[in-house]
Amino acid sequence: MNLRTTARIVGTLFLAAMVGSLVGGVAFVEPYLSAPNALAAVAENETQVIVGVLLELINGRAVLGIGVFMFPILRQRDEHIALGYIGLRIVESVFCCVIVLSPLSLIALSQAYVQASAADAAYYQAAGALSIAGRESVAELLIPVFFGLGSLLFYRSLYQFKLLPRFISVWGFVGAALILALNVLLAFGVEV
């Protein structure tokens, strides 16, 4: 496969990842998980949550695909960088797929919650809150950290190997460094 074809595929995968993440997570899943009564919201909007989960899975697969298609290009120049990059993308992809477990578990919980007595409803709400907290931990810390690390390596490689105009590589590197710094600071409780 030539460099131009690979570049088009990687560009398409970047767009698919962006759409999958923003549309799936932000538009179709998060509004229901952040509702005052998340279980009731998920029960009422099960189809939207499932569509969001599928889009988030597309994001996870696209992230992996970016690493796979960039590997041969980076390996030609430096095998250690290529292995590091694909490794970071694999970890990021796994975390992107792990976050769909929460909405899927909430679908089952919400069905039981709707049929539960008032006394049992509190147990379902506690389980739902725990599931949402687990998703938030992965989505707000682990994914951005591995995304940031992978992006630093990616833009460093683009700069070093002159695969893009240098100003684009520098711009991407600075953006990745800021994303990584922001998320590490937030993990330690520093408000930015």
Side-chain angles (χ1 to χ4, degrees):
M1 187 175 318
N2 67 29
L3 188 60
R4 183 176 297 261
T5 303
T6 302
R8 285 187 177 135
I9 292 170
V10 169
T12 302
L13 289 170
F14 268 110
L15 291 174
M18 183 74 67
V19 169
S21 176
L22 292 177
V23 175
V26 176
F28 281 97
V29 175
E30 288 302 323
Y32 308 114
L33 300 188
S34 61
N37 186 346
L39 291 177
V42 169
E44 294 168 3
N45 301 286
E46 186 176 322
T47 302
Q48 290 91 328
V49 173
I50 291 171
V51 168
V53 164
L54 292 173
L55 289 169
E56 286 184 326
L57 287 172
I58 289 171
N59 171 41
R61 295 297 121 216
V63 165
L64 180 61
I66 293 166
V68 167
F69 280 98
M70 285 302 298
F71 181 76
I73 294 168
L74 296 176
R75 187 175 68 184
Q76 290 174 354
R77 289 149 178 91
D78 187 329
E79 189 162 351
H80 293 97
I81 288 176
L83 288 170
Y85 182 69
I86 196 167
L88 289 168
R89 284 298 185 180
I90 288 169
V91 173
E92 181 188 353
S93 174
V94 167
F95 287 136
C96 287
C97 292
V98 163
I99 64 169
V100 304
L101 296 175
S102 174
L104 291 176
S105 69
L106 288 175
I107 290 171
L109 279 172
S110 69
Q111 293 166 352
Y113 170 78
V114 169
Q115 298 173 352
S117 66
D120 292 337
Y123 296 116
Y124 290 110
Q125 287 178 329
L130 182 62
S131 178
I132 292 168
R135 175 187 166 91
E136 287 174 357
S137 296
V138 173
E140 293 175 6
L141 176 63
L142 295 175
I143 291 174
V145 165
F146 283 96
F147 169 79
L149 291 171
S151 295
L152 286 174
L153 195 55
F154 180 72
Y155 287 110
R156 176 189 171 272
S157 301
L158 293 178
Y159 182 86
Q160 179 182 356
F161 306 135
K162 299 177 184 173
L163 295 171
L164 282 179
R166 292 238 164 149
F167 78 93
I168 294 174
S169 302
V170 170
W171 188 23
F173 189 88
V174 169
L178 291 173
I179 288 170
L180 184 59
L182 171 70
N183 285 285
V184 169
L185 290 172
L186 289 174
F188 288 106
V190 178
E191 291 292 324
V192 181

